[in-house]
Amino acid sequence: MRLKKGYCRLCWHQASQDAKGQVTVLQPYLENVRHHQLFLTNLHRPRCPGPPRGKRRGRPRLSDPAPARLPASGWVQPSLFEARRDFTRFHRREHARLDNPWLAWARHAAHRLGEAHGWPRRVRLDVDRALVIVLSGHTGGDVVRYSEVFPALRSRGLSVERTAEVLDGIGVFLDDRPSSFDLWLESKLDGLAVGIRRDVQDWARLLRDGGPRSQPRDVATVWGYLNRIRQVLLEWSNRYDHLREVTCDDVLAHLGAVHGAQRKHTLVALRSLFTRAKKNGTIFKNPTSRIRVGQQENGVIQPLESNVRTSVAAVTRPADRLVLALAAVHAARPGAIRRLQLDDLDIGNRRLVVDGRVRPLDELTLQAALAWLEHRRRRWPNSANPHLLINKQTALETGPISGVSVSAALRGQTATLEKLRVDRQLEEALVHGPDPLHLAEIFGLADKTAIRYANSARALLAQTAETGPVS
């Protein structure tokens, strides 16, 4: 049966054999597979009943590397020119130099790092093999680049991330990959006029990195700003060469085509851009200076409909069930869920600390937490990550999981994590009364946000008194 991307298991094995030692992308080789060797079940690898003969039961213990020190740094002959090394041609019998002091130091550092982070045996063996490949011919002053080690390690199925972590720890690693922000910014600046492109690039980098009198913004803010105004910048690039040619009428004409929150966000982004250009002296007058954002009227927050059960049924994994309980019961934001530590969960005293606020641990969240902790103990028994939620990547590290991992289970569902959180806060206002102080104390809401929830609950309660219960 064709189970993976239209190919069967034996096709993948045949393509892997054809591409062995050449490339890591199997798609071209899969397209060329016209036949493959068949075998009868249980004959290609005979298995005898009982324990293996002549072998010990269980796996031998991985021996600890000998203690090592940082190699002494003396006089080093500078390189006449920079030559890139090809680690893909490494052969262990011919090129391995296990007595290299840099390799001994790296193996010792990898052993300490693996013990601290709880690396399993497989990861330790992979990292040790990778270090032998990379550091057998290493000398003082050499730098190992990401672009050099990636092809060699990926083709052998070794962990590039863990190896780079060890190399960076001993100070010989250089990450020469292009920044994801630079690649994204380059794609967004494509098509803009040269003069407009220069000002927009300077403004976007200032937002992300900050400056002498400007605090750096979150990268999501930069994404939102530039995505919001890119279309109008492309339109202006067809008529103008510089931002100084844009007038107030041009800005008003574009703002007239958008309404509500889109108008507000567009004007805020344009105002930030033109303010930066005016400060740099590339424009003479700010065309957005006399345009008012206006007061946006907030509508009444509505409770979720009865189709929440479909979203609940879509959550099957223990981690996703715990995330669902934290959002639906404790109104925790995805960022707060990612930051939760194991110490924040006090099962004995039935307490949970969410962003510094102590909350009682209800039965639903308690059962979801116990199921997740049991799954975590069986899946990653040696992980040293202090965060409550981990996955197969972060189990070998100490950082939190990504925001995509938190919200992936409910993506595309009617009741997302954000809607569940909003519904829980609205429910608190409906059950305990529309008191902004109570909402701010329970969920840590800002003043205006708590007032908005209280006003929405008051409007819904008045509607219920007039027309009956709200569905």
Side-chain angles (χ1 to χ4, degrees):
M1 296 180 62
R2 299 181 177 182
L3 301 178
K4 183 178 180 182
K5 297 182 179 179
Y7 297 95
C8 69
R9 176 174 175 270
L10 293 181
C11 288
W12 281 92
H13 278 286
Q14 186 65 42
S16 178
Q17 290 295 326
D18 296 341
K20 189 173 182 180
Q22 301 181 33
V23 295
T24 59
V25 180
L26 299 182
Q27 189 65 31
Y29 292 87
L30 284 169
E31 297 175 355
N32 296 328
V33 172
R34 295 295 180 266
H35 62 275
H36 46 67
Q37 179 66 45
L38 298 178
F39 56 85
L40 298 178
T41 180
N42 295 331
L43 291 182
H44 66 291
R45 185 179 297 176
R47 298 181 180 179
C48 300
R53 297 178 181 180
K55 294 184 179 180
R56 294 168 45 189
R57 291 190 178 184
R59 296 175 299 179
R61 182 179 180 273
L62 185 63
S63 59
D64 299 341
R69 297 181 178 180
L70 178 66
S73 58
W75 179 85
V76 178
Q77 173 66 42
S79 301
L80 182 61
F81 57 89
E82 181 179 342
R84 302 186 67 84
R85 291 161 292 184
D86 185 7
F87 293 113
T88 58
R89 308 182 64 177
F90 178 87
H91 192 276
R92 189 178 180 94
R93 292 184 179 179
E94 300 178 4
H95 305 123
R97 300 293 182 267
L98 302 182
D99 56 346
N100 189 305
W102 284 96
L103 176 58
W105 168 242
R107 294 174 112 177
H108 179 65
H111 172 70
R112 295 175 56 186
L113 186 63
E115 282 191 337
H117 289 180
W119 289 355
R121 172 190 173 87
R122 175 186 58 81
V123 175
R124 295 189 183 190
L125 290 174
D126 288 350
V127 171
D128 187 77
R129 289 178 55 197
L131 292 177
V132 173
I133 295 173
V134 175
L135 297 180
S136 287
H138 189 86
T139 58
D142 289 349
V143 176
V144 181
R145 294 172 176 81
Y146 184 92
S147 58
E148 296 174 341
V149 302
F150 179 82
L153 302 187
R154 183 53 60 90
S155 62
R156 293 174 170 84
L158 304 178
S159 175
V160 182
E161 291 76 12
R162 305 284 81 79
T163 306
E165 190 175 357
V166 176
L167 296 175
D168 186 60
I170 64 176
V172 299
F173 181 70
L174 174 63
D175 192 351
D176 57 350
R177 291 176 294 178
S179 171
S180 59
F181 178 82
D182 293 337
L183 296 177
W184 170 84
L185 183 59
E186 189 67 23
S187 65
K188 294 300 178 182
L189 296 177
D190 186 29
L192 300 183
V194 177
I196 298 178
R197 177 192 178 100
R198 188 185 308 112
D199 287 336
V200 174
Q201 184 176 13
D202 175 75
W203 165 69
R205 293 191 180 280
L206 178 72
L207 288 178
R208 191 197 66 162
D209 302 331
R213 302 183 65 179
S214 176
Q215 293 293 331
R217 303 288 188 89
D218 189 89
V219 67
T221 302
V222 188
W223 295 343
Y225 277 9
L226 192 49
N227 288 332
R228 178 65 62 185
I229 65 174
R230 185 174 186 271
Q231 187 60 39
V232 66
L233 293 177
L234 290 174
E235 296 176 3
W236 289 342
S237 297
N238 296 330
R239 294 179 289 167
Y240 307 131
D241 296 328
H242 301 277
L243 284 180
R244 57 175 171 265
E245 301 178 58
V246 179
T247 64
C248 181
D249 294 336
D250 295 325
V251 177
L252 291 175
H254 177 71
L255 294 178
V258 292
H259 306 280
Q262 293 186 2
R263 182 184 186 276
K264 175 183 178 182
H265 296 159
T266 302
L267 181 56
V268 170
L270 289 176
R271 180 173 294 176
S272 175
L273 170 62
F274 283 106
T275 301
R276 174 61 183 175
K278 177 69 178 301
K279 187 176 181 180
N280 288 343
T282 56
I283 64 174
F284 305 107
K285 183 179 180 181
N286 187 346
T288 64
S289 59
R290 297 185 179 275
I291 303 177
R292 298 177 58 87
V293 176
Q295 185 68 27
Q296 182 179 354
E297 295 293 337
N298 295 321
V300 177
I301 303 175
Q302 299 294 329
L304 284 176
E305 302 295 335
S306 57
N307 52 8
V308 180
R309 296 182 179 179
T310 59
S311 300
V312 176
V315 178
T316 56
R317 300 188 306 172
D320 296 334
R321 289 186 174 274
L322 179 57
V323 169
L324 177 67
L326 292 172
V329 178
H330 301 276
R333 295 179 178 272
I337 296 176
R338 294 175 54 214
R339 292 189 295 269
L340 278 176
Q341 307 275 320
L342 288 171
D343 295 339
D344 295 333
L345 183 63
D346 189 353
I347 296 178
N349 295 321
R350 302 288 292 267
R351 295 186 306 179
L352 176 67
V353 181
V354 181
D355 271 351
R357 293 184 174 274
V358 180
R359 297 184 55 82
L361 193 59
D362 59 286
E363 187 64 25
L364 176 63
T365 309
L366 175 62
Q367 296 303 323
L370 291 176
W372 160 246
L373 291 176
E374 177 61 22
H375 174 79
R376 170 178 169 146
R377 184 189 64 81
R378 287 187 285 103
R379 182 68 175 82
W380 303 286
N382 299 322
S383 177
N385 196 317
H387 291 83
L388 177 62
L389 294 174
I390 60 175
N391 52 27
K392 63 180 181 180
Q393 284 84 20
T394 60
L396 308 179
E397 305 170 355
T398 57
I401 61 177
S402 64
V404 176
S405 301
V406 173
S407 58
L410 293 178
R411 188 176 297 113
Q413 299 293 329
T414 303
T416 60
L417 290 181
E418 180 64 18
K419 292 182 179 179
L420 289 172
R421 181 187 67 84
V422 171
D423 186 72
R424 173 64 185 93
Q425 295 173 163
L426 181 61
E427 179 196 22
E428 185 73 19
L430 292 173
V431 173
H432 295 276
D435 184 4
L437 295 178
H438 175 75
L439 296 176
E441 179 64 24
I442 294 296
F443 302 111
L445 301 178
D447 297 342
K448 293 184 179 180
T449 306
I451 293 174
R452 183 187 176 190
Y453 276 100
N455 292 336
S456 297
R458 192 175 294 108
L460 291 175
L461 291 175
Q463 178 184 355
T464 303
E466 295 177 359
T467 61
V470 179
S471 58

